[in-house]
């Protein structure tokens, strides 16, 4: 007799690792499973994003050869022997292509496994957490094949890609429905509705009769008429299988939304409501429960944790005497004694890394082009405040500064003016890492809606292609595919070269580039305390990414997880 499940939740996969934290604990699907199981639904999760997953399906000889060639490439590049580097890169390309072919064959075979599970267990819903690039292409292939093989299964998309692309994702995929925002409540209602009807067509008719004609369901802060309550703050129950091959850091929902929500470039402006905090006591309870599973590293999920909310969380952590480290996104502010004391308190509670979106050091551009609402002085003062507060607390707290470069310019200001102001900001603030992103044009942002005014020239098929665009940091810019847009006469290749110019100049200052806040936090915990340590981490993790290997990351994650368990034992 078939063991019937009502919903299969799947994390999308890409053939290559893109960032070092790809194998973080999968909090989103665990939250959905926990909530739905508590409501009496039968749920199963498929999550192939594990530390060593990038090697699955690739013969060992191919992995070893590719690692050797990439090692040689990097040595030649670091010695500035660029002609020899280019020759070796060309020789490496067929091996890389073969390795990627093996991976794609394997990841596509997983689609067949998922279809077999759906058929064997007669599963009525498939929910897919959708990511960008190749992971989106894989997700859409999954949806297409499931639709053909299991026509009565309802296929629902969710996750980061839906929040960025919304309706455009549905226009360019085979999903039946998509959820923009938290999915717990609406999935519960979908499952309940499906129990009452005969088949998929009956469900879709009943669903659209209740929710309207749109295939995109907006929830949480994306729906101005919906209240945010405890239904969206579920504490996930991780199982032993969920922890295997994962990095022991948990993305913790501290709230939803953004207090500013007006940046011209940011897809978060799709959110219809201001920041909605989660009760600080609930957050501390979640940390305490997860500590019992050996988890001591946490990243707050909000695009910005307001300082007063962060202060309340810190007070609850200290009250419970929890031994953890956490990182968060923060907004630059006018520094006051209260701001300083709040950072000191959060650092005492375990804050070890802060990510600050600066966007540019040019105040006029930040006001007129970015609409960020902060100044260069705010950024410098906030970063220095964090450093001083850390000194007083007797702890380390690293700061990552994020910039968008190049960017649109106006009123006689040149790209070189922006470059110089960025360098002045970096030299004055002296962050622990700088993350430099090229300008991106995303649906429903001001940069997209008023592209002509900002100087963007966007191709008609841009959105459909950009959803599938694989951001490959190891490719020379001349080998990148066209992004699908240009900016004020600069082609996509020109834009990427200019991004690389700023990154190179930052590296010349001895500051590592493009290290995420959670890795600043976790590498600090295992003794990577200097910039040289971070540069080594960046170089060796990049080697893994370029070679499709996990050799170095397995070593690092083993240290991080052991440190996490040691810290967590002190909280229990």
């Amino acid at each position: 007799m078939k063991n019937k499940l009502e919903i299969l939740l799947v994390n999308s996969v890409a053939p290559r690792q893109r960032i070092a934290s790809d194998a973080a604990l999968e909090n989103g699907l665990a939250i959905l499973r926990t909530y739905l199981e508590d409501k009496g639904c039968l749920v199963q999760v498929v999550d192939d994003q594990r530390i060593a997953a990038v090697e699955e399906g690739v013969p060992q000889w191919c992995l070893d050869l590719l690692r050797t060639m990439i090692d040689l490439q990097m040595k030649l590049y670091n010695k500035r022997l660029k002609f020899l580097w280019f020759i070796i890169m060309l020789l490496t390309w067929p091996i890389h292509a073969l390795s990627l072919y093996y991976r794609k064959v394997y990841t596509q075979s997983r689609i067949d496994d998922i279809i077999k599970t759906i058929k064997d267990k007669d599963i009525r819903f498939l929910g897919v957490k959708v990511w960008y690039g190749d992971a989106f292409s894989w997700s859409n292939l999954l949806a297409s094949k499931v639709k053909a093989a299991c026509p009565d299964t309802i296929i629902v998309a969710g996750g980061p890609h839906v929040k960025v692309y919304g309706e455009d994702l549905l226009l360019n995929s085979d999903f039946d429905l998509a959820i923009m925002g938290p999915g717990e409540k609406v999935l519960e209602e979908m499952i309940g509705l499906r129990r009452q009807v005969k088949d998929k067509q009956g469900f879709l008719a009943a669903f659209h009769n209740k929710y309207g004609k749109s295939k995109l369901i907006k929830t949480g802060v994306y729906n101005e008429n919906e209240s945010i309550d405890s239904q969206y703050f579920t504490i996930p129950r991780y199982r032993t299988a969920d922890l295997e091959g994962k990095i022991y850091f948990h993305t913790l929902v501290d709230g939803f939304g953004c207090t500013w929500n007006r940046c011209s470039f940011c897809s978060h402006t799709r959110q219809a409501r201001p920041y909605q905090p989660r009760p600080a006591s609930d957050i501390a309870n979640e940390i305490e429960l997860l500590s019992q599973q050996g988890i001591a590293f946490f990243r707050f999920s909000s695009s910005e944790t307001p300082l007063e909310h962060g202060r309340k969380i810190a007070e609850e952590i200290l009250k419970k005497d929890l031994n953890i480290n956490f990182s968060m996104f923060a907004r630059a502010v006018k520094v006051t004694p209260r701001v300083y004391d709040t950072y000191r308190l959060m650092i005492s509670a375990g804050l070890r890394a802060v990510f600050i979106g600066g966007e540019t050091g040019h105040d006029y551009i930040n006001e007129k082009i970015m609409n960020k609402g902060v100044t260069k002085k705010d950024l410098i003062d906030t970063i220095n405040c964090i450093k001083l507060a850390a000194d007083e607390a007797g702890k380390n707290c690293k700061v990552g500064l994020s910039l968008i470069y190049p960017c649109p310019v106006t009123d006689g200001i040149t790209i070189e003016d922006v470059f110089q102001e960025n360098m002045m900001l970096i030299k004055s603030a002296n962050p622990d890492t700088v993350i430099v992103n090229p300008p991106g044009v995303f649906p429903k942002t001001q940069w997209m809606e008023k592209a002509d005014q900002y100087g963007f020239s966007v191709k008609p098929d841009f959105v459909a292609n950009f959803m599938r665009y694989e951001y490959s940091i190891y490719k020379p810019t001349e080998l990148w595919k066209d992004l699908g847009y240009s900016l004020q006469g600069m082609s996509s290749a020109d834009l990427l070269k200019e991004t690389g110019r700023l990154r190179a100049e930052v590296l010349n200052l001895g500051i590592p580039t493009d290290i995420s806040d959670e890795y600043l936090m976790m590498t600090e915990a295992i003794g990577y305390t200097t910039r040289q340590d971070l540069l080594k981490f960046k170089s060796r993790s990049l080697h893994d990414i370029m070679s499709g290997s996990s050799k170095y990351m397995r070593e690092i994650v083993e240290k991080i997880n052991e440190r996490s368990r040691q810290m967590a034992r002190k909280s229990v």
Side-chain angles (χ1 to χ4, degrees):
M1 181 177 179
K2 293 183 178 180
N3 179 23
K4 288 191 177 181
L5 289 168
E6 290 177 287
I7 184 167
L8 182 68
L9 300 173
V10 176
N11 195 12
S12 59
V13 297
R16 279 284 183 264
Q17 180 185 7
R18 281 87 68 82
I19 57 174
S21 55
D22 276 350
L25 292 170
E26 179 40 61
N27 73 312
L29 298 185
I31 286 171
L32 290 176
R33 182 183 63 201
T34 301
Y35 178 90
L36 292 173
E37 286 181 341
D38 287 347
K39 299 297 182 179
C41 304
L42 297 175
V43 186
Q44 183 175 322
V45 169
V46 175
D47 177 19
D48 286 353
Q49 289 284 23
R50 313 282 166 162
I51 296 297
V54 292
E55 299 178 1
E56 295 288 343
V58 184
Q60 191 61 48
W61 67 264
C62 188
L63 287 169
D64 292 341
L65 181 57
L66 190 53
R67 280 192 63 85
T68 300
M69 298 295 284
I70 294 298
D71 187 54
L72 182 57
Q73 264 187 247
M74 294 183 75
K75 286 177 179 176
L76 291 171
Y77 188 86
N78 292 334
K79 291 179 180 179
R80 301 184 186 279
L81 300 172
K82 291 198 174 181
F83 178 75
L84 288 175
W85 164 78
F86 189 73
I87 295 298
I88 296 300
M89 187 199 69
L90 291 178
L91 292 173
T92 303
W93 212 253
I95 307 166
H96 179 272
L98 180 62
S99 171
L100 192 58
Y101 168 77
Y102 282 126
R103 276 292 294 153
K104 286 186 175 180
V105 169
Y106 176 80
T107 56
Q108 289 182 19
S109 74
R110 292 292 292 133
I111 291 176
D112 297 332
D113 296 338
I114 290 168
I115 290 172
K116 185 177 186 303
T117 299
I118 292 172
K119 285 183 173 180
D120 289 347
K121 299 186 178 181
D122 193 20
I123 301 173
R124 293 176 170 182
F125 284 92
L126 171 66
V128 185
K129 185 171 185 177
V130 185
W131 299 89
Y132 70 94
D134 284 342
F136 172 67
S137 297
W138 182 88
S139 298
N140 193 36
L141 182 62
L142 170 65
S144 176
K145 288 193 169 184
V146 169
K147 181 169 284 189
C150 311
D152 203 45
T153 298
I154 300 139
I155 310 165
V156 184
H161 223 44
V162 178
K163 293 174 185 176
V164 173
Y165 288 99
E167 298 87 350
D168 289 294
L169 182 140
L170 286 163
L171 291 172
N172 294 278
S173 70
D174 287 295
F175 292 99
D176 295 308
L177 300 166
I179 302 170
M180 177 185 281
E184 295 91 312
K185 183 180 178 182
V186 69
L187 283 176
E188 177 196 0
E189 293 180 357
M190 285 183 183
I191 291 170
L193 191 59
R194 179 63 182 86
R195 290 170 179 168
Q196 300 171 26
V197 297
K198 181 181 178 181
D199 54 20
K200 177 178 179 176
Q201 293 308 312
F203 163 82
L204 290 173
F207 182 83
H208 288 307
N209 184 56
K210 179 176 181 180
Y211 284 93
K213 295 181 179 180
S214 176
K215 295 164 65 176
L216 180 69
I217 306 100
K218 297 180 179 180
T219 66
V221 292
Y222 294 91
N223 186 335
E224 61 185 355
N225 299 316
E226 186 174 341
S227 62
I228 306 293
D229 54 34
S230 59
Q231 69 190 0
Y232 290 138
F233 297 124
T234 300
I235 298 176
R237 290 189 297 270
Y238 288 119
R239 297 171 181 171
T240 301
D242 299 329
L243 306 180
E244 293 173 357
K246 290 286 192 176
I247 310 166
Y248 278 26
F249 96 81
H250 168 70
T251 302
L252 193 152
V253 179
D254 59 299
F256 295 109
C258 174
T259 61
W260 178 252
N261 208 31
R262 282 171 272 176
C263 295
S264 304
F265 55 87
C266 186
S267 60
H268 291 155
T269 52
R270 281 179 174 271
Q271 297 169 354
R273 304 178 62 189
Y275 184 82
Q276 303 290 310
R278 180 185 183 185
S281 58
D282 289 357
I283 293 171
N285 289 339
E286 180 165 330
I287 292 171
E288 187 173 33
L289 283 171
L290 293 177
S291 293
Q292 296 172 14
Q293 291 187 280
I295 301 166
F297 296 125
F298 298 86
R299 182 193 205 185
F300 290 0
S301 66
S302 297
S303 57
E304 169 220 354
T305 301
L307 288 182
E308 284 303 312
H309 186 43
R311 185 184 185 94
K312 292 175 183 177
I313 297 168
E315 289 170 346
E316 292 294 328
I317 291 171
L318 292 169
K319 188 188 301 181
K320 287 180 173 288
D321 195 25
L322 299 171
N323 186 37
I324 66 161
N325 286 353
F326 65 94
S327 67
M328 71 181 205
F329 294 79
R331 184 174 170 81
V333 296
K334 307 292 183 187
V335 174
T336 64
R338 176 73 173 182
V339 169
Y340 175 84
D341 189 62
T342 296
Y343 271 113
R344 181 198 57 77
L345 188 71
M346 289 192 293
I347 292 166
S348 297
L351 178 63
R352 293 294 176 270
V354 180
F355 177 99
I356 296 178
E359 317 321 340
T360 179
H362 199 295
D363 283 345
Y364 189 79
I365 294 297
N366 231 343
E367 178 186 353
K368 299 297 183 180
I369 299 297
M370 308 289 188
N371 195 29
K372 184 71 177 182
V374 300
T375 66
K376 181 164 65 178
K377 185 176 186 303
D378 296 335
L379 291 163
I380 295 168
D381 288 351
T382 300
I383 292 172
N384 286 332
C385 170
I386 294 169
K387 293 178 180 178
L388 291 170
D391 287 342
E392 184 177 336
K395 306 288 184 182
N396 287 331
C397 183
K398 297 190 181 298
V399 182
L401 173 66
S402 177
L403 301 175
I404 298 173
Y405 181 82
C407 62
V409 291
T410 188
D411 297 339
I413 295 166
T414 67
I415 285 293
E416 187 60 30
D417 293 334
V418 177
F419 183 93
Q420 295 302 328
E421 290 294 325
N422 283 344
M423 290 308 300
M424 288 177 62
L425 166 63
I426 293 164
K427 290 174 182 178
S428 298
N430 195 27
D432 295 285
T433 186
V434 179
I435 299 167
V436 186
N437 291 308
V441 190
F442 298 103
K444 304 298 182 182
T445 64
Q446 288 297 298
W447 280 11
M448 174 65 92
E449 298 292 298
K450 301 177 181 178
D452 291 343
Q453 293 182 28
Y454 286 100
F456 289 103
S457 179
V458 181
K459 292 182 178 180
D461 59 352
F462 160 69
V463 172
N465 290 329
F466 206 54
M467 283 191 288
R468 294 168 171 81
Y469 195 92
E470 185 70 9
Y471 187 82
S472 305
I473 60 173
Y474 55 88
K475 284 185 183 178
T477 53
E478 60 267 22
L479 297 178
W480 282 52
K481 294 179 181 178
D482 186 79
L483 291 169
Y485 59 89
S486 59
L487 171 62
Q488 296 175 330
M490 298 178 72
S491 68
S492 60
D494 294 333
L495 293 172
L496 292 164
K497 285 180 181 178
E498 196 64 22
T499 300
R501 182 167 80 102
L502 182 57
R503 286 178 176 174
E505 196 67 21
V506 173
L507 282 171
N508 287 338
L509 297 176
I511 299 175
T513 59
D514 307 297
I515 298 177
S516 59
D517 57 292
E518 72 271 14
Y519 266 95
L520 287 177
M521 164 188 67
M522 291 186 291
T523 52
E524 168 76 22
I526 61 172
Y528 283 37
T529 57
T530 68
R531 284 185 176 172
Q532 282 303 117
D533 291 332
L534 290 177
L535 287 167
K536 176 183 175 183
F537 168 79
K538 173 71 183 297
S539 175
R540 295 189 66 184
S541 58
L542 180 60
H543 188 293
D544 270 9
I545 291 171
M546 292 172 65
S547 64
S549 170
S550 60
K551 182 178 179 181
Y552 175 66
M553 287 311 301
R554 286 199 304 268
E555 296 172 5
I556 287 296
V557 169
E558 184 178 349
K559 293 177 182 178
I560 288 171
N561 289 353
E562 179 55 33
R563 180 61 181 147
S564 177
R565 287 186 287 265
Q566 290 171 359
M567 292 175 60
R569 282 195 287 269
K570 296 179 181 179
S571 296
V572 177

